[in-house]
Amino acid sequence: MKKKIVFWVEEYFYDPNLFQKFLSILFLPLSFIYCFIVYLKYKMSKPYDFGIDIVSVGNLSVGGSGKTPLVTALAQHYENSAVVLRGYGRASRGLVVVKNSNEVLCNVDVSGDEAMIYVQKIPHAIVIVSENRAEGILRAKELGAKIIFLDDGYSKHNIKKLDFLIDVDSVNSSCIPSGPIRERLWSKKEAVILKEQIDFKRVVELKNKSDKMSLVTAIAKPGRLDSFLPEVLSKNYFEDHHLFTKSELEDILRRDGADSILLTYKDYVKVESFGLAVSLLDLYFEVDERVFNIVDNYRRK
């Protein structure tokens, strides 16, 4: 049931049918109320200076946009970096230090899938999950971080930071619940808009390719993968952040007669301990030097 609801909502936001378009119009009064409340929250916030360089990567809409690979590319570039994120889909609450500068302190169930990507792809970085980003920032400072990257931090207007926003095309520019927009780019709110193919480019490497692969993925808007996919026996979509069981994947391998399961890195970190045959769609971003120059010019001298 959860899977059906999640996919229905993604369709409603990004590829609505006639009935969903009608619903969207009906919800417009609620969208105006929602957007006004979010605006008041923004106006009432005063950015607090934590005495450390903080860079946020976010987007205005619901769903995936490339925040994780962009944060990864940026944090890889700087020594003594930390990544602080909420940790969607994790089986824990509160602040958890997933990795200090030396060692991993929990498993993927506790950290959530995105945090574990950062652990594996940025070996030198501190990684912290926390619903309260301010607490996460303070803990990262205590652990020795010199620059902190916030995954999905645009709405944290109480934090003094450099804001990057990934530009995402959408046929529906209405606020929730009429559309996918979580928050507007408010006037007087400074943010740097980053565009794909201009400020960054996606690169996908297919690793451990087999002759017969079945795609399994639990990412938002899984259709985004189509342009990168090799030939596969089947496409098996699960809701974003789904926690796989070994038997689920074994059933797909058996049903398709597949040699391996084809996964994104976000899914791989949740199933690598299963010992199954895995092929990997490894996505990373090549970031234009201009973006790093913006960060360097923002940093404290």
Side-chain angles (χ1 to χ4, degrees):
M1 178 61 72
K2 179 182 176 183
K3 179 178 176 180
K4 289 182 178 179
I5 292 173
V6 170
F7 286 161
W8 188 93
V9 171
E10 286 186 357
E11 181 185 44
Y12 166 73
F13 281 153
Y14 294 103
D15 190 22
N17 56 39
L18 191 61
F19 172 70
Q20 290 168 328
K21 290 178 181 177
F22 176 69
L23 272 184
S24 177
I25 294 170
L26 290 182
F27 286 146
L28 277 173
L30 293 177
S31 292
F32 294 142
I33 294 170
Y34 167 87
C35 219
F36 181 66
I37 291 172
V38 175
Y39 174 71
L40 288 179
K41 179 183 175 184
Y42 158 65
K43 291 296 289 184
M44 294 170 63
S45 298
K46 289 188 67 174
Y48 178 77
D49 189 342
F50 284 83
I52 188 172
D53 300 320
I54 301 174
V55 178
S56 167
V57 174
N59 65 301
L60 300 178
S61 59
V62 174
S65 62
K67 294 185 293 291
T68 302
L70 183 53
V71 169
T72 299
L74 293 175
Q76 285 174 335
H77 193 76
Y78 296 95
E79 295 181 354
N80 301 312
S81 61
V83 179
V84 177
L85 65 159
R86 186 186 187 281
Y88 285 102
R90 60 186 169 117
S92 63
R93 299 183 65 182
L95 188 152
V96 177
V97 178
V98 180
K99 179 185 172 296
N100 58 28
S101 56
N102 298 312
E103 59 181 332
V104 182
L105 302 174
C106 64
N107 62 28
V108 68
D109 293 339
V110 175
S111 72
D113 46 24
E114 290 165 348
M116 197 55 67
I117 293 174
Y118 292 131
V119 166
Q120 295 197 10
K121 292 214 166 193
I122 324 170
H124 65 273
I126 296 162
V127 180
I128 295 172
V129 291
S130 177
E131 293 89 349
N132 186 320
R133 303 300 203 285
E135 291 181 358
I137 290 166
L138 292 173
R139 188 74 179 103
K141 280 188 67 176
E142 290 175 4
L143 292 172
K146 301 301 181 186
I147 181 169
I148 296 173
F149 293 90
L150 297 184
D151 180 320
D152 199 16
Y154 172 75
S155 64
K156 310 307 174 187
H157 304 299
N158 60 330
I159 298 171
K160 184 179 183 296
K161 61 190 186 299
L162 168 64
D163 274 298
F164 285 126
L165 281 175
I166 298 175
D167 187 36
V168 179
D169 291 330
S170 176
V171 296
N172 187 343
S173 60
S174 297
C175 286
I176 295 170
S178 187
I181 305 302
R182 296 181 294 171
E183 188 160 354
R184 300 290 184 193
L185 177 54
W186 309 116
S187 61
K188 299 184 180 179
K189 170 73 175 180
E190 293 184 3
V192 179
I193 308 299
L194 300 182
K195 296 180 180 292
E196 190 168 348
Q197 300 303 325
I198 297 175
D199 299 299
F200 61 88
K201 294 180 181 179
R202 297 170 189 257
V203 178
V204 176
E205 291 184 5
L206 176 55
K207 299 179 177 179
N208 299 323
K209 181 181 183 296
S210 69
D211 293 332
K212 295 187 290 183
M213 300 179 291
S214 296
L215 174 68
V216 178
T217 187
I219 65 171
K221 298 184 286 184
R224 293 180 291 154
L225 296 176
D226 286 349
S227 60
F228 304 108
L229 282 181
E231 184 176 346
V232 293
L233 298 173
S234 66
K235 298 178 183 179
N236 303 273
Y237 297 152
F238 293 79
E239 68 275 12
D240 196 15
H241 301 290
H242 176 75
L243 293 176
F244 296 103
T245 64
K246 186 176 182 179
S247 61
E248 280 178 329
L249 303 185
E250 287 175 332
D251 287 345
I252 293 170
L253 283 167
R254 189 181 308 111
R255 181 200 68 201
D256 291 349
D259 297 326
S260 65
I261 294 288
L262 179 61
L263 302 167
T264 68
Y265 213 97
K266 181 175 177 178
D267 303 309
Y268 169 72
V269 296
K270 293 179 288 190
V271 307
E272 60 178 318
S273 64
F274 291 173
L276 299 175
V278 168
S279 301
L280 183 63
L281 277 175
D282 192 6
L283 166 69
Y284 62 90
F285 280 3
E286 291 181 346
V287 179
D288 190 88
E289 193 64 29
R290 181 186 80 93
V291 179
F292 294 112
N293 290 338
I294 292 171
V295 176
D296 291 339
N297 291 332
Y298 167 77
R299 297 194 70 182
R300 296 161 193 270
K301 305 303 180 184

